[in-house]
Amino acid sequence: MVGVDIGNSTTEGSVARIDETGSVVYLGGALTRTSGIKGTVRNAEGVVKAVTRAVQNAGITVGELDLILLNEATPVISGLAMETITETIITESTMIGHDPRTPGGRGLGVGVIVDIGSLDEVNPGDPVIVLVPGGADFEWTATTINNAVERGVDVNGAILGNDDAVLVANRLVIKIPIIDEVSRVDAVPVGMLAAVEVVAPGQSIRTLSNAYGLATIFELDPDQTRVVSPVARALTGNRSAVVVRTPSGDVEDRTIPAGSLEFIGASKRGLIDVSRGAAEIMAEVERVSPLQDVLGESGTNTGGMIANVRQSMADLSKHALADVRIKDLLAIDTLVPQEVRGGVAGEVALENAVALAAMVRTKESGMQAVADAVATALRDAGATRISAVVGGVEAEMAVLGALTTPGTEKPLVVLDMGGGSTDAAVIERSGDVQAVHLAGAGDLVTKLIDAELGLDNLELAEDIKRLPLGKAESFFHVRLENGTVQFFDKPLPPNAFARVVTLSEMGMSPIPTRHSLDRIRTVRRTAKERVFVVNALRALRAVAPHGDLRQIGFVVLLGGCALDFEIPELIADAVAPYGIVCGTGNVRGTEGPRNAVASGLVASYAARSRERDRAQVDA
């Protein structure tokens, strides 16, 4: 027989034989990607693949199989919406926050923007900022500026379209701040008062990132200072920047309607605006618990996400839309890069946002249809005598498998952390099992990392989530994120030099961003804490007697995320104050956190078979 666990992300199979004494002998296993949404007929393809690989690993043929045991996998789907709460808007041509890799010169320069082609027309003594379009030769640029300086023109800075700031700065007779790599240099308004600031490597600007510094330069009154404060906030931490005052100084920071959520509980209802933040949203979820459904405000991104998740589940499970309910929702405060309107070089500012993950369950399970499809496919593959049945509820099977972890006993809590959901189950000394299923797990962490770092690359975000980081400081050594240094006999790849890299058994891969190692590590760990630690505590309180975590003795972590190099540590630290023994499961003492449900299905079937045999003997 083969026990098969259909998860949100992976499908696991465990091949076993029941010997003459009724004992279970495990022969082998396999792991594949789940095909389709968990609990739908499309799972059959992944199940067949897992079974085929498992029997090959066990050294037997498909034709020798008698029985396939599937978990009772109620369809679950998670959706994510990141709704920005605020947005910095710079109208007209105002440019802020430009931070090129190699600015030139040093200092703070203030003057009227003048095109370099018109520099000869500037009167001596006039303070100017020179605007150089893309394509201009750096030697010609430097010569033209030097000639203007010799005539007495007060050149206080320069804005370049090309990546030539250092080359120009090295050829000037005066030291001025120069920024380059301005992609839309043609949008910079000529004739407007501007300020350019550049500081030494490793430092950040002081004047243009200070609202009162801007007020001093541009002679702003208190009301104008209040309006321009978002500009200063967006510039914080940059090595260089330009601020151009447009005729009306149109800068504003406004609240964007984020949409509202309506929570429907068993006996209570609640309504809350998403812009109130994650803490108040989750407090409302707790207040109306147990949650029966969630409705999103129509016409907003939040409402669209809720509606899409609900419709997707209805389409996949062939259930009526009215039978689909949202049973859990997780809200997380985050920061996401938002493009600043009016910027001329792709400037962004980090703005507050709320990430929402919703979990949907249908009215009834369609697992028997999955079992029938699996049996049909395997019979066509040569397993003529095979049958497939739903062998047990997932949570109950998980705890049975987890109990094979050495050093555990009842009462025991299992935390199964997958891609789409976090599931918890507790088995009492009496054998009674209680379970809870929560929205948010590995996929949500990946999306948070992708959003906060502005990667727009989920595959790269997944690597950052799973792998430790390092910084290639030379061609022969890497400083790891824990501060230690690893040396190499052969030179590192040129594309890794001076870059933050992910480290795996296959080698190192450079991360094509300008974020520092500390920034990437902080985003990664914070995302895991906001999802896994928060959900772990939510799940444990839901299954603990009277919600008291001190009543829990042992917690076993299962699922792919339990193999992560830091998630088990984060959760163990969070539950340590309650005296809970927490660690990564080791199913059957050999499988690690994998295969718990599949092994539990086989163990449960064997136990039922022994009971039937004893009943027949007694009869």
Side-chain angles (χ1 to χ4, degrees):
M1 73 180 67
V2 182
V4 180
D5 171 23
I6 303 173
N8 289 305
S9 300
T10 59
T11 296
E12 301 174 358
S14 179
V15 182
R17 182 183 68 248
I18 299 178
D19 62 19
E20 296 78 7
T21 64
S23 300
V24 177
V25 180
Y26 292 95
L27 304 177
L31 174 72
T32 64
R33 296 287 298 180
T34 295
S35 56
I37 299 298
K38 173 181 176 179
T40 61
V41 176
R42 286 187 59 194
N43 295 158
E45 179 184 347
V47 172
V48 172
K49 187 180 295 184
V51 170
T52 303
R53 291 182 181 177
V55 296
Q56 289 175 349
N57 294 337
I60 62 175
T61 65
V62 173
E64 298 177 66
L65 292 177
D66 296 318
L67 182 64
I68 303 294
L69 300 166
L70 301 181
N71 59 314
E72 178 61 69
T74 305
V76 174
I77 186 171
S78 294
L80 174 66
M82 286 197 181
E83 189 61 40
T84 305
I85 297 174
T86 60
E87 179 183 13
T88 302
I89 299 176
I90 312 298
T91 62
E92 297 184 15
S93 302
T94 305
M95 178 177 66
I96 72 165
H98 189 43
D99 194 13
R101 294 178 183 273
T102 53
R106 298 286 189 278
L108 172 68
V110 180
V112 175
I113 296 179
V114 175
D115 186 272
I116 191 169
S118 305
L119 201 54
D120 292 340
E121 303 172 11
V122 177
N123 296 323
D126 289 352
V128 298
I129 301 294
V130 180
L131 182 65
V132 184
D137 179 74
F138 62 88
E139 289 190 353
W140 173 82
T141 298
T143 300
T144 303
I145 293 176
N146 284 333
N147 291 339
V149 171
E150 290 177 1
R151 287 196 306 107
V153 177
D154 189 8
V155 178
N156 290 330
I159 302 170
L160 278 56
N162 292 342
D163 182 14
D164 294 336
V166 174
L167 295 174
V168 171
N170 290 341
R171 289 164 172 77
L172 295 181
V173 295
I174 58 172
K175 180 178 292 186
I176 60 173
I178 305 173
I179 71 162
D180 56 7
E181 303 178 61
V182 180
S183 55
R184 294 180 55 213
V185 68
D186 56 305
V188 178
V190 176
M192 297 295 108
L193 184 65
V196 181
E197 185 174 8
V198 176
V199 296
Q203 299 181 10
S204 59
I205 58 173
R206 300 291 299 275
T207 303
L208 300 188
S209 61
N210 177 5
Y212 302 118
L214 293 176
T216 302
I217 292 171
F218 296 109
E219 300 179 352
L220 306 179
D221 60 32
D223 290 336
Q224 292 172 322
T225 303
R226 185 179 298 107
V227 170
V228 83
S229 62
V231 175
R233 189 178 75 246
L235 294 174
T236 303
N238 287 352
R239 183 189 167 193
S240 63
V242 173
V243 174
V244 182
R245 186 175 184 185
T246 54
S248 56
D250 292 323
V251 180
E252 60 176 313
D253 191 35
R254 67 180 177 87
T255 299
I256 296 176
S260 60
L261 291 168
E262 182 180 0
F263 300 111
I264 303 173
S267 59
K268 301 177 182 178
R269 298 174 73 102
L271 182 69
I272 188 168
D273 195 301
V274 173
S275 64
R276 301 286 293 275
E280 294 195 33
I281 293 174
M282 294 311 296
E284 194 69 9
V285 171
E286 184 68 22
R287 188 185 70 82
V288 304
S289 182
L291 198 62
Q292 300 294 312
D293 201 4
V294 178
L295 304 176
E297 181 182 353
S298 61
T300 67
N301 284 346
T302 301
M305 186 274 287
I306 297 294
N308 287 338
V309 169
R310 199 188 304 274
Q311 187 63 56
S312 297
M313 177 54 72
D315 295 341
L316 289 166
S317 62
K318 308 302 181 184
H319 285 86
L321 192 62
D323 292 335
V324 178
R325 297 284 186 271
I326 293 178
K327 294 298 186 180
D328 187 57
L329 182 138
L330 176 66
I332 298 171
D333 286 325
T334 184
L335 294 172
V336 294
Q338 294 292 313
E339 184 174 353
V340 177
R341 300 182 187 178
V344 293
E347 296 85 2
V348 297
L350 286 177
E351 298 293 347
N352 295 325
V354 174
L356 299 175
M359 187 174 69
V360 175
R361 287 187 176 274
T362 54
K363 188 176 182 180
E364 60 185 25
S365 168
M367 281 306 299
Q368 190 55 53
V370 179
D372 294 341
V374 170
T376 300
L378 289 174
R379 289 191 192 108
D380 293 341
T384 56
R385 60 182 183 178
I386 199 167
S387 61
V389 298
V390 180
V393 178
E394 184 173 358
E396 296 178 6
M397 300 303 103
V399 293
L400 289 178
L403 279 170
T404 64
T405 296
T408 60
E409 66 175 3
K410 302 176 185 177
L412 175 75
V413 175
V414 166
L415 275 177
D416 188 353
M417 302 172 292
S421 64
T422 299
D423 304 328
V426 59
I427 183 169
E428 304 291 350
R429 294 190 185 278
S430 62
D432 295 335
V433 177
Q434 179 186 354
V436 64
H437 309 277
L438 303 177
D443 293 345
L444 176 56
V445 172
T446 301
K447 291 176 181 178
L448 286 173
I449 293 172
D450 181 63
E452 291 202 24
L453 295 179
L455 303 175
D456 197 24
N457 186 334
L458 287 177
E459 185 176 347
L460 175 60
E462 180 72 15
D463 287 342
I464 293 174
K465 180 186 75 175
R466 295 186 301 105
L467 302 172
L469 303 171
K471 176 70 175 292
E473 295 185 337
S474 77
F475 285 114
F476 292 94
H477 84 276
V478 171
R479 185 171 299 278
L480 308 181
E481 64 176 82
N482 62 5
T484 60
V485 175
Q486 181 178 357
F487 292 92
F488 298 86
D489 295 330
K490 297 180 179 179
L492 301 177
N495 64 342
F497 177 65
R499 303 292 292 272
V500 180
V501 297
T502 57
L503 305 171
S504 68
E505 295 180 356
M506 303 299 294
M508 62 183 66
S509 300
I511 300 175
T513 73
R514 298 174 62 182
H515 297 292
S516 67
L517 186 150
D518 288 341
R519 165 67 177 161
I520 297 174
R521 180 178 183 271
T522 298
V523 168
R524 183 195 70 211
R525 287 181 64 90
T526 302
K528 291 177 180 179
E529 289 172 350
R530 289 171 177 169
V531 176
F532 288 111
V533 174
V534 169
N535 261 356
L537 294 176
R538 289 175 67 208
L540 294 178
R541 290 192 179 97
V543 299
H546 310 295
D548 184 4
L549 297 186
R550 298 186 183 277
Q551 300 298 314
I552 297 175
F554 297 88
V555 171
V556 175
L557 305 180
L558 301 176
C561 293
L563 293 169
D564 187 89
F565 68 99
E566 58 188 352
I567 291 173
E569 172 195 344
L570 293 173
I571 295 177
D573 289 344
V575 301
Y578 304 98
I580 297 174
V581 179
C582 178
T584 301
N586 189 14
V587 177
R588 308 201 313 265
T590 59
E591 302 300 312
R594 295 286 194 185
N595 221 264
V597 174
S599 298
L601 285 165
V602 173
S604 176
Y605 179 83
R608 293 196 302 269
S609 298
R610 289 193 295 268
E611 290 177 2
R612 286 195 301 267
D613 293 341
R614 282 195 295 268
Q616 292 175 358
V617 171
D618 293 341

